Amino acid sequence: MQGRARNDLARMFGEELAKAGLEADEIDTFATPRRLGLIARGLPLATAAVSEELKGPRASAPPQALEGFLRKTGLSQDQLVERDGVFFAVIDKPGQPTAAVLGAAIERIIRDFPWPKSMRWGAASASNASLRWVRPLQGIVALLGDEIVLVEVEGLASGATTVGHRFHHPGPITLGGASDYAEKLRACHVIVDADERAAIIRERARALAADAGLTLVEDEGLVAENAGLTEWPVPLLGRFDADYLDVPPEVIQLTARTNQKYFVLRDDSGALAPAFICTANIEASDGGAAIVAGNQRVLAARLSDARFFWEQDLKIPLDEQAKKLSGIVFHEKLGTVAERVGRIADLAEWLAIEAVVPGCDPDHARRAAELSKADLVTGMVGEFPELQGLIGGYLAAAQGEPKAVADAVRDHYKPVGQGDDVPTAPVTVAVALADKLDTLRAFFGAGMPPTGSKDPFALRRAALGVIQIVTGNGLRLPIAEGDLLDFFADRLKVQQREAGVRHDLIDAVFALGGEDDLVRVLARVAALQAFVEGGDGANLLAGYKRAANILKKENWDLPRVMADRGEQAIPQTGEEDPLVEVDQAPELAASIAGQASGSELPADAPGEERALIMVLDEAEPRARQAVEAEDFAAAMAALASLRGPIDAFFDKVTVNDADPAVRRRRLNILARFRNAVHGVADFSRIEG
């Protein structure tokens, strides 16, 4: 909240300056638990004088119009300027003292400040119109140079006096200006720079851990939180009873972090040590001994509660816990959590039986899936929802489940984000994949996909998780169809953007239709990107687009008329088309195919036309076979052989020949060229 407040203060102050025609050379902001401030350097002492011109009525307008304009401007008629028969008012506004501008600006900022949480206080709080602030506003310091800027908000007047540290220096401090603000407060045990406070906490915590022969578990979020809770941070090391280490270490860390804002430490073996670091807000006279003792008592009580939940959960087999899931509704349209677990178990077992996940034991996959959600009804997860899955894994291991099963229960939610680990253990992969696929298929099947920025069921995250698991483990399976496949295509573009993969190339592969194997998609996209970003690919793309534009202009579609030659083109105009009945005339279809393949080319056909057909005869089957073998680099190489012939064809051959038969033949050749390219990717989707 403090970081956001600093940004909001700088933004609002800058906007107020801009309204007045002022600009600062530099703006710094700062925040502590007790104060929010801004220093603007290089402000002029007055705003610039401005001249404003207002257009009035014509000189020939009725007197009433002129009188209204004079009232609006506050001028007399002899003060107006007439130009081209129109009256203008020229109003000179002298510059204002900056202090006067700032006073009103600061009041507006205070009244309009966008705290995400705020309150009213005192007698004025009886009115909804009273000031709201994050905590009761105690004082306003407003100085321009060494002069006080007059501001009054809800009876609170500005001045040059603030207070220091709540305990070390609670009395008033008189400031001489911005130049001595930070140093006077430092002398009174207040460090106004949040980054400096964070550095003190970070470095002192590391040093305390090292002195104790331990290692600090780094946590930048906790550093920032403690910096926001203190004005004079003093890290201190404390201990707790080692008997509590029989509780899962994540529980201890979460208890210390969430409830107490403590850092935890590890020993030389990497195990959690029975020690912590808290951050005091005072320089205690006893070196912090009393503070540490108090914090040790509080943490002991927290850990005692955690151990109680853990010991109670250990007494109940996960099988028994899982039975309670039948009483929990997953979603009103999708049944109970128990029904969802059943679907996940079926799918995980199928993935193992069909060897979609190689090396996965089907019995282990089903067992892990059946226990995967059992910890949702445990006392420990009730207390620490963040530990779902993790607690289930610990309980499964403690209750004698095979390691592969316990690990899968623990990790089946992974990955939960782009930076998270992707499971690789076969049983874990099967359950994690089944869990996410079931979520996606269930919600899409019920007609509840994400809309706009809203994704209440985290389906985008689930899709990214599926993509990471499938591609990270090289799994070959049809992931989806219909709208869900389109959704995966969009998520794949997001996921691959960071890897430098172009979204248009992913579109070009998915546009072929029938492609639902992510591993194959990415292999094809990788080969396509390498191809189109090289010289051959770029030139072939230009030739393709030229051919496609001609065919589009001529409305030259691709009905299927020759199975042995692929799709050959005929025009779709109807009246002018002598081959409109081609479906009823196989011999005409064969003739079209022959003209496009070279078997019926007349003797006077240009060499470039013959050359293109010859290369097509060789490249088409080679590219098709390479695609079938998933050798996409070879498929691109086959297409590359078309680059020179298609360029020469366009240079030397007139497609729209005066002879209708020649024109049809050449359009069919271009259609065949386009068709050959489409066997690898839909080049119409490629940008450039």
Side-chain angles (χ1 to χ4, degrees):
M1 205 183 281
Q2 290 173 20
R4 172 176 165 175
R6 288 174 59 187
N7 292 335
D8 285 336
L9 181 58
R11 173 184 56 79
M12 296 174 78
F13 189 79
E15 290 170 354
E16 290 290 344
L17 290 183
K19 289 178 191 174
L22 293 169
E23 185 177 359
D25 292 340
E26 183 182 354
I27 291 179
D28 292 326
T29 57
F30 49 86
T32 81
R34 303 186 72 199
R35 63 200 83 229
L36 172 66
L38 175 147
I39 295 176
R41 296 180 173 84
L43 279 178
L45 295 179
T47 65
V50 296
S51 181
E52 182 181 11
E53 184 174 275
L54 299 177
K55 184 179 180 181
R58 297 190 64 83
S60 59
Q64 296 89 332
L66 179 59
E67 291 169 5
F69 183 62
L70 294 175
R71 283 196 301 272
K72 175 183 175 181
T73 60
L75 302 178
S76 60
Q77 184 173 349
D78 61 346
Q79 292 176 297
L80 300 180
V81 176
E82 184 180 346
R83 288 199 301 269
D84 299 327
V86 178
F87 284 123
F88 290 86
V90 179
I91 303 172
D92 294 321
K93 294 184 178 179
Q96 289 181 278
T98 298
V101 172
L102 291 180
I106 293 168
E107 181 180 350
R108 285 192 294 270
I109 290 171
I110 292 173
R111 291 191 181 280
D112 298 338
F113 204 80
W115 291 108
K117 293 182 179 180
S118 58
M119 61 181 289
R120 295 187 176 92
W121 63 93
S125 63
S127 168
N128 288 338
S130 63
L131 176 69
R132 297 186 66 97
W133 201 247
V134 64
R135 286 292 183 269
L137 187 59
Q138 303 291 335
I140 303 169
V141 174
L143 300 171
L144 180 62
D146 56 4
E147 297 295 324
I148 294 173
V149 175
L150 297 179
V151 182
E152 184 171 341
V153 179
E154 304 285 327
L156 195 62
S158 61
T161 302
T162 187
V163 294
H165 191 282
R166 185 185 302 275
F167 302 111
H168 287 298
H169 200 294
I173 305 168
T174 301
L175 303 171
S179 59
D180 67 357
Y181 179 80
E183 291 313 311
K184 277 194 173 180
L185 281 172
R186 184 187 297 275
C188 297
H189 282 76
V190 175
I191 298 172
V192 298
D193 185 351
D195 293 337
E196 184 181 349
R197 297 197 302 275
I200 291 170
I201 294 167
R202 188 185 301 111
E203 292 164 12
R204 182 60 182 153
R206 289 172 181 166
L208 287 169
D211 290 345
L214 303 171
T215 302
L216 178 72
V217 175
E218 302 283 349
D219 189 333
E220 279 303 303
L222 200 51
V223 168
E225 192 165 5
N226 277 287
L229 290 169
T230 57
E231 291 196 317
W232 192 260
V234 181
L236 300 167
L237 186 140
R239 304 274 182 175
F240 61 86
D241 193 331
D243 287 347
Y244 288 118
L245 293 176
D246 59 0
V247 177
E250 292 86 356
V251 174
I252 295 174
Q253 183 172 358
L254 192 62
T255 298
R257 184 192 198 283
T258 303
N259 295 323
Q260 302 305 129
K261 319 304 179 193
Y262 298 161
F263 297 90
V264 296
L265 303 105
R266 297 192 184 279
D267 60 23
D268 290 341
S269 69
L272 199 66
F276 66 92
I277 291 176
C278 61
T279 306
N281 190 35
I282 62 171
E283 199 79 60
S285 58
D286 64 355
I291 295 173
V292 168
N295 280 279
Q296 287 178 166
R297 286 194 298 273
V298 173
L299 182 58
R302 295 284 191 183
L303 293 178
S304 179
D305 289 344
R307 184 161 62 181
F308 171 79
F309 287 123
W310 172 243
E311 291 173 347
Q312 292 301 111
D313 290 338
L314 277 174
K315 297 175 183 178
I316 306 173
L318 282 177
D319 279 327
E320 293 299 314
Q321 300 280 31
K323 292 177 183 178
K324 302 174 187 176
L325 300 176
S326 60
I328 302 174
V329 175
F330 173 61
H331 188 279
E332 59 182 2
K333 293 184 179 180
L334 302 175
T336 65
V337 175
E339 290 170 327
R340 169 165 151 73
V341 167
R343 296 194 302 268
I344 295 171
D346 290 343
L347 182 52
E349 184 179 38
W350 179 86
L351 290 169
I353 291 172
E354 297 297 322
V356 173
V357 181
C360 182
D361 184 316
D363 293 335
H364 284 173
R366 172 166 281 278
R367 179 64 174 168
E370 289 172 343
L371 299 179
S372 62
K373 308 298 179 184
D375 67 350
L376 294 177
V377 293
T378 62
M380 189 66 82
V381 171
E383 184 73 8
F384 302 109
E386 306 94 321
L387 297 181
Q388 55 188 276
L390 194 70
I391 293 300
Y394 277 114
L395 290 171
Q399 293 174 4
E401 296 292 338
K403 184 177 187 303
V405 171
D407 288 351
V409 172
R410 180 192 66 204
D411 293 336
H412 78 280
Y413 288 105
K414 292 184 176 181
V416 294
Q418 274 292 83
D420 197 15
D421 294 334
V422 176
T424 55
V427 177
T428 306
V429 168
V431 180
L433 186 57
D435 180 36
K436 293 167 180 59
L437 283 174
D438 176 74
T439 298
L440 290 160
R441 290 173 177 175
F443 281 103
F444 269 80
M448 294 184 286
T451 55
S453 62
K454 295 181 180 178
D455 187 10
F457 308 113
L459 302 186
R460 293 187 178 97
R461 186 174 66 192
L464 284 173
V466 169
I467 290 168
Q468 289 175 274
I469 292 171
V470 169
T471 58
N473 291 279
L475 304 183
R476 311 304 298 271
L477 79 160
I479 54 167
E481 57 186 20
D483 290 344
L484 184 52
L485 183 60
D486 294 339
F487 181 69
F488 268 109
D490 288 339
R491 293 299 93 200
L492 187 65
K493 285 185 279 188
V494 171
Q495 191 257 354
Q496 288 291 306
R497 186 182 299 138
E498 291 186 6
V501 177
R502 288 169 44 178
H503 68 87
D504 58 324
L505 304 184
I506 295 176
D507 283 338
V509 172
F510 273 111
L512 295 174
E515 185 57 274
D516 57 3
D517 183 322
L518 293 181
V519 171
R520 190 166 59 225
V521 165
L522 289 180
R524 188 182 290 218
V525 167
L528 182 59
Q529 182 153 341
F531 178 60
V532 300
E533 292 180 353
D536 286 341
N539 288 331
L540 184 68
L541 178 61
Y544 166 86
K545 289 187 179 294
R546 187 172 177 183
N549 287 336
I550 292 171
L551 294 170
K552 182 179 180 181
K553 183 178 178 181
E554 296 296 327
N555 196 25
W556 211 259
D557 268 347
L558 299 172
R560 298 182 183 277
V561 298
M562 272 299 283
D564 63 333
R565 288 291 180 185
E567 295 174 327
Q568 299 299 334
I570 61 172
Q572 302 297 298
T573 52
E575 304 100 3
E576 304 160 3
D577 181 13
L579 303 182
V580 70
E581 303 298 331
V582 72
D583 287 335
Q584 288 74 43
E587 67 280 2
L588 292 180
S591 174
I592 292 173
Q595 291 173 7
S597 68
S599 63
E600 294 186 11
L601 276 182
D604 62 347
E608 291 80 9
E609 188 173 354
R610 292 180 182 278
L612 178 56
I613 291 175
M614 288 177 61
V615 176
L616 278 168
D617 285 342
E618 191 275 334
E620 270 184 310
R622 188 154 61 95
R624 184 167 59 250
Q625 290 163 10
V627 168
E628 290 170 357
E630 298 189 10
D631 186 352
F632 300 113
M636 300 304 161
L639 290 187
S641 67
L642 295 169
R643 172 199 164 180
I646 192 65
D647 288 346
F649 180 85
F650 280 126
D651 285 344
K652 302 295 184 181
V653 177
T654 302
V655 176
N656 287 322
D657 194 272
D659 184 339
V662 172
R663 174 174 165 274
R664 283 197 300 273
R665 183 182 77 224
R666 291 173 180 170
L667 286 171
N668 283 333
I669 293 171
L670 290 185
R672 186 180 169 200
F673 164 70
R674 179 179 64 179
N675 204 34
V677 173
H678 277 186
V680 176
D682 184 348
F683 273 48
S684 68
R685 301 297 184 97
I686 300 176
E687 298 172 358

